[in-house]
Amino acid sequence: MLHGEAIEPPPLWLMRQAGRYLPEYREIRSKAPDFLGFCFDPDLATEATLQPIRRYGFDAAILFSDILTVPHALGARVWFAEGEGPRLEPVRDARAADALQFDATKLAPVYETVRRVRAALPASTTLLGFAGAPWTVAAYMVEGSGSRDWIEAKRWAYGRDGFDLLIDRLVDATVEHLALQLEAGADAVQIFDSWAGALDPAGFERFVIEPTRRIVGRLKQRVPGARVIGFPRQAGALYPRYADATGVDGMSLDSGVPLDWAVGAIDRKVALQGNLDPLRLLAGGASLDASVDAIRRATHGRSFIFNLGHGVLPPTPPEHVAQLVERVRA
Ligand code: CP3
């Protein structure tokens, strides 16, 4: 689905298709002591990856893991405070960045999960691996948690030396992590830059475009035929620039992007993905059907992968996902 051809109906998967909206996910999630322990248990992570495929028959499975496994493998402490989101031991100067060393053996259970999922999936179902983009992962590492404004991360990125060293370490680790997933059996990978939209255009060029361009180039050299989807969330008018400059094969669009504009402005050799507002899915009903139809119309004849503009939200009724699948394939 990442070779530039238009497929009707479009292939379909959803970001966060495995997660708390599914009762069967909540059931197995309660068996793990903590969230990272869950990600690092190949039995549980394989099962979580397969659950949404069994229930809905999506065209792609996405590995069940998290972007913050990479800081963990770099030696920064990461934990998930129940109900509060991620916490990390903050990295705030060049010395701390220089001390980071990627140890892929810490992620061996992730690659084992990839192998098991690939073996369990039908050949026609694509398996996607993923990683966070350097800017987004650095933002969590510098803040020590999620943030609305990313003040500490941007203060360092814009104002002091050493931030590029942190980005460089993350570029190296990300290439390695994605290559190991592809070598274990992932068919393609997605790079999540969830906080790309927090940067100004100059910051976007230096901390989003440049590191992603290096990752894509090195990955394609190391793994011939590697396919990459980029997701610079809330990049707005900079989406076409990202598509031209990074070398990605596909690009995911958030829900704020007018699709008619994107279809005209983004190079046709880059497949498009995404855009349905997760709240349309949560709301369901006629508004969901109308939104699905509008996306199908706007992307007709274009290489497109049906998806949301961001992840499935925990209060989403599972029946609404069934309605979406039926409508996309109608
Ligand atoms: O189904 C899938 O999409 C695959 C698995 C996946 C998870 N996280 C599982 C998860 C993927 C691809 C991610 C990516 C991820 N993780 C991103 C980028 C995408 C995005 O959402 O913007 C980010 C920023 C993270 C970091 C992260 N992980 C946060 C901020 C949180 C807490 C927020 C929350 O929803 O609770 C997580 C935890 C997390 N990662 C959960 C899941 C299913 C929920 C935790 C739980 O079940 O207890």
Side-chain angles (χ1 to χ4, degrees):
M1 62 175 147
L2 288 167
H3 298 80
E5 75 280 34
I7 301 171
E8 309 281 347
L12 163 67
W13 70 280
L14 302 179
M15 292 188 268
R16 286 280 170 94
Q17 63 192 22
R20 288 165 294 188
Y21 76 105
L22 287 178
E24 60 269 35
Y25 173 87
R26 295 194 297 271
E27 167 73 31
I28 58 166
R29 174 70 179 81
S30 67
K31 292 183 187 162
D34 58 78
F35 181 66
L36 272 191
F38 185 50
C39 292
F40 292 145
D41 181 325
D43 288 330
L44 294 176
T46 298
E47 175 59 21
T49 307
L50 295 173
Q51 283 176 341
I53 306 303
R54 282 192 208 111
R55 193 191 260 256
Y56 301 113
F58 291 120
D59 297 295
I62 182 158
L63 169 71
F64 190 84
S65 180
D66 199 81
I67 66 168
L68 300 179
T69 57
V70 166
H72 166 82
L74 282 163
R77 221 162 73 75
V78 179
W79 68 104
F80 284 81
E82 222 49 57
E84 282 177 49
R87 292 283 182 277
L88 300 90
E89 173 190 2
V91 172
R92 295 211 172 152
D93 55 35
R95 207 162 47 92
D98 195 39
L100 299 168
Q101 286 210 29
F102 185 68
D103 177 359
T105 63
K106 288 186 175 161
L107 301 184
V110 175
Y111 313 126
E112 174 61 18
T113 303
V114 173
R115 278 188 288 274
R116 291 194 196 179
V117 173
R118 186 59 276 175
L121 280 175
S124 58
T125 308
T126 298
L127 174 57
L128 296 169
F130 71 91
W135 158 250
T136 287
V137 175
Y140 282 101
M141 293 177 81
V142 177
E143 295 291 333
S145 68
S147 167
R148 200 183 51 164
D149 300 316
W150 304 100
I151 290 173
E152 293 308 322
K154 290 177 73 177
R155 193 208 303 277
W156 187 10
Y158 290 177
R160 286 187 293 118
D161 290 344
F163 189 74
D164 290 294
L165 179 64
L166 176 56
I167 293 287
D168 289 348
R169 288 295 160 86
L170 285 165
V171 167
D172 293 345
T174 305
V175 170
E176 185 71 16
H177 185 47
L178 293 175
L180 289 169
Q181 291 175 62
L182 290 164
E183 286 161 5
D187 300 295
V189 292
Q190 178 157 320
I191 299 175
F192 287 90
D193 219 340
S194 303
W195 303 105
L199 293 163
D200 65 11
F204 186 88
E205 190 67 31
R206 180 162 167 187
F207 303 120
V208 171
I209 301 266
E210 266 309 299
T212 304
R213 192 179 60 75
R214 280 150 61 204
I215 290 169
V216 173
R218 284 171 53 185
L219 194 62
K220 285 175 180 269
Q221 249 184 344
R222 170 156 164 190
V223 185
R227 302 270 156 188
V228 184
I229 304 172
F231 182 28
R233 194 168 70 90
Q234 291 178 348
L238 295 172
Y239 271 111
R241 164 81 193 142
Y242 181 97
D244 290 338
T246 59
V248 293
D249 304 283
M251 190 170 63
S252 211
L253 305 170
D254 65 76
S255 307
V257 178
L259 263 189
D260 291 331
W261 168 80
V263 164
I266 295 162
D267 193 323
R268 287 188 68 85
K269 70 173 183 283
V270 176
L272 300 179
Q273 172 180 277
N275 193 244
L276 179 69
D277 189 335
L279 264 299
R280 295 279 176 195
L281 180 60
L282 191 150
S287 129
L288 173 58
D289 285 344
S291 304
V292 169
D293 295 351
I295 290 173
R296 292 285 318 270
R297 268 196 306 278
T299 57
H300 185 76
R302 169 83 187 217
S303 174
F304 182 69
I305 300 165
F306 204 99
N307 208 317
L308 301 175
H310 203 187
V312 179
L313 293 162
T316 302
E319 317 81 76
H320 293 185
V321 178
Q323 179 191 336
L324 166 79
V325 172
E326 197 178 319
R327 192 75 180 187
V328 171
R329 292 181 171 161

